Amino acid sequence: MNLTAIQNNYLLRLSLMLLGLLLANNTIAQQIVNGISLPDVLTLNNGTKITTAKQWKIERRPELIAFFKKEMYGQSPGKPAGVTYKVFDNDSKALGGKATRKQITVYFNGKQDGPQMDILLYIPNNVKHAPAIVGLNFDGNQSVNIDLAIKMSTSWMDKTKGVVNNRATEATRGIDAGQWPLEMILDKGYAVATVYRGDIDPDFDDGFKNGVQVLYPELQNRGDNFATVAAWAWGLSRILDYLETDKAIDSKHVAVFGFSRLGKAALWAGATDERFPLVISNESGAGGAKLFHFKGGEGTTRLDTKFPHWFCGNFKKYMGQDSILPFDQHMVISLIAPRPVYVASAKDDTNSNPEAEFWGAKAADPVYRLLGTSGLPANQWPALSEPSVGRIAYHVRPGGHNVTDYDWIQYLSFADKYLKKP
Ligand code: GCU
């Protein structure tokens, strides 16, 4: 860089910073959370304070959804008109007779050579019309259990153990079973439906040439393009579309779950698709439940540079602006209100910043309270393994970035409380 370029760069940064400070201090109403100033979830962009549930529903919620679609996640299409389903497996003696296993290919445009995803579904045999938990998986459907009948993924996969030439091998069967305790979930009376994230959109910066985005060219090459996290969230809604056609499932009681980057997607799916009556975000971190305004852990710069495909083009303009952003993730969590949401952290998961995840959930509390619910009871970051459970729930457990039995025990009792029919 020559001197003029450096000077220009410096001036640009300075003016962005001043603009940010101006917005933060003057124009945008603030809400203070643990001493940190955040943009107020309950004030409209025109400065009007939201004081009724009706105003929230009719004015603020749509305003926030439009904002996040434009500036962060990008636009998403609706349900594809020509979608077809093919149930290619239906075995009532799965997992030692505990469950019925179904596998379904979803052809998004009805074409067998078009974009498609495979749903792996286990339904408890002793429950008629079972409530369900849906979530995407990291390493292919075959990774969630050693069940030999699970179809081996043939989609592109990042290089992890057992992946050769970006394709899964038998060595990946059951590798994520610890994160998917199917028996425990089924024993509690819930069906489980999962899809490999890469069926919907492969997790690399490919210019959106290999995911479902190819079906929607009109949503590409624009600032608010249909990006990867939004595509995964869209895929979660498409699983629910299928479940609505399956009589064995109580499709009005389907919770959406996700871990880490897939927890970011679960939150956005819950925020935008009100058919999900309960949402679980396990260590979703930056772009999930974590507040960007809090110091520590991943921020916009790492998200935008290491994972540029996750969020839309417009999101890049906020790079490095974490502490002065005109929005933050408490607003996304608030979009789920009054539906129950569980946000969970792990103490050593510093990249996700557990405390900032807690305050993300807590800062959504005013919206839950406005809508007449219990919100999040804890007023301070709780001690380890002491869940705080209201209509917003939160826990931080010892250990690192993972999904453990401890996490699932909390989620299932949360679901028993809020999801099951009385
Ligand atoms: C990376 C990334 C996180 C993400 C995580 C995961 O660590 O920085 O944002 O949540 O991967 O998905 O496991």
Side-chain angles (χ1 to χ4, degrees), residues 345 347 358 378 380-388 394-398 406:
S345 309
K347 179 175 159 283
F358 168 74
Q380 287 306 320
W381 188 30
L384 290 182
S385 311
E386 282 185 17
S388 174
Y394 175 86
H395 74 242
V396 52
R397 59 156 176 79
Y406 175 85

Side-chain angles (χ1 to χ4, degrees), residues 41-44 48-66 271 274-275 334-339 366-368 370-372:
V41 66
L42 283 177
T43 304
L44 284 171
T48 310
K49 185 83 189 151
I50 299 294
T51 54
T52 68
K54 193 170 165 204
Q55 270 181 307
W56 166 258
K57 202 170 163 212
I58 294 178
E59 297 181 65
R60 183 58 167 158
R61 188 171 182 280
E63 180 175 81
L64 285 173
I65 290 189
E274 293 182 273
R275 293 176 302 165
S334 299
L335 294 172
I336 299 165
R339 291 164 293 144
V367 178
Y368 277 77
L370 178 72
L371 302 185

Side-chain angles (χ1 to χ4, degrees), residues 3 69 236 337 382:
L3 196 60
K69 283 188 173 174
L236 287 161

Side-chain angles (χ1 to χ4, degrees), residues 347-369:
K347 179 175 159 283
D348 300 333
D349 180 16
T350 47
N351 191 46
S352 301
N353 190 342
E355 188 173 3
E357 290 179 318
F358 168 74
W359 290 110
K362 186 64 189 173
D365 178 274
V367 178
Y368 277 77
R369 303 267 177 195

Side-chain angles (χ1 to χ4, degrees), residues 12-226:
L12 181 71
R13 278 170 179 276
L14 192 70
S15 42
L16 273 174
M17 208 176 84
L18 288 175
L19 180 72
L21 282 174
L22 205 70
L23 287 174
N25 291 333
N26 295 336
T27 328
I28 301 179
Q30 302 288 298
Q31 102 188 62
I32 308 293
V33 175
N34 201 33
I36 307 258
S37 196
L38 298 178
D40 184 19
V41 66
L42 283 177
T43 304
L44 284 171
N45 291 347
N46 69 11
T48 310
K49 185 83 189 151
I50 299 294
T51 54
T52 68
K54 193 170 165 204
Q55 270 181 307
W56 166 258
K57 202 170 163 212
I58 294 178
E59 297 181 65
R60 183 58 167 158
R61 188 171 182 280
E63 180 175 81
L64 285 173
I65 290 189
F67 177 86
F68 279 101
K69 283 188 173 174
K70 183 144 189 299
E71 300 296 315
M72 184 167 176
Y73 298 89
Q75 306 292 334
S76 298
K79 178 179 173 180
V83 66
T84 56
Y85 306 118
K86 182 174 169 198
V87 181
F88 66 88
D89 176 35
N90 190 345
D91 178 0
S92 61
K93 298 200 173 52
L95 303 179
K98 199 182 275 298
T100 296
R101 184 194 57 248
K102 288 188 187 176
Q103 297 185 78
I104 305 104
T105 304
V106 178
Y107 299 105
F108 292 120
N109 62 353
K111 297 194 179 128
Q112 305 234 340
D113 59 354
Q116 52 193 269
M117 67 179 183
D118 288 335
I119 303 176
L120 170 66
L121 171 62
Y122 286 98
I123 307 164
N125 281 335
N126 60 353
V127 183
K128 271 208 184 76
H129 211 50
I133 299 179
V134 309
L136 304 179
N137 63 69
F138 269 83
D139 300 306
N141 291 350
Q142 80 292 337
S143 70
V144 308
N145 194 272
I146 51 163
D147 184 344
L148 290 171
I150 302 174
K151 182 182 160 191
M152 178 65 51
S153 170
T154 54
S155 296
W156 184 94
M157 213 166 273
D158 2 10
K159 285 185 215 106
T160 46
K161 222 173 125 225
V163 174
V164 177
N165 296 330
N166 294 111
R167 294 290 181 272
T169 69
E170 272 301 323
T172 63
R173 195 173 291 282
I175 53 167
D176 295 336
Q179 297 182 345
W180 292 91
L182 297 181
E183 276 88 353
M184 184 203 288
I185 303 171
L186 290 158
D187 284 344
K188 286 284 245 166
Y190 298 94
V192 182
T194 186
V195 163
Y196 171 51
R197 62 186 159 129
D199 283 8
I200 302 159
D201 191 12
D203 197 355
F204 69 106
D205 187 17
D206 62 347
F208 304 108
K209 292 202 173 61
N210 300 292
V212 290
Q213 290 92 347
V214 297
L215 294 175
Y216 304 98
E218 69 281 11
L219 295 182
Q220 291 313 310
N221 303 314
R222 47 194 271 181
D224 59 351
N225 60 300
F226 182 30

Side-chain angles (χ1 to χ4, degrees), residues 323-336:
S323 62
I324 50 169
L325 287 177
F327 61 90
D328 212 332
Q329 298 303 105
H330 61 309
M331 294 171 160
V332 175
I333 299 172
S334 299
L335 294 172
I336 299 165

Side-chain angles (χ1 to χ4, degrees), residues 271-326:
T272 50
D273 190 340
E274 293 182 273
R275 293 176 302 165
F276 288 117
L278 188 143
V279 181
I280 304 163
S281 137
N282 187 91
E283 298 154 29
S284 55
K290 171 191 183 281
L291 290 172
F292 288 113
H293 282 74
F294 277 56
K295 282 207 169 56
E298 188 169 30
T300 52
T301 302
R302 187 176 134 107
L303 281 181
D304 279 333
T305 49
K306 200 157 188 279
F307 309 101
H309 53 297
W310 283 359
F311 298 101
C312 72
N314 284 342
F315 188 60
K316 313 282 180 290
K317 71 179 179 225
Y318 299 105
M319 195 152 89
Q321 308 288 308
D322 297 47
S323 62
I324 50 169
L325 287 177

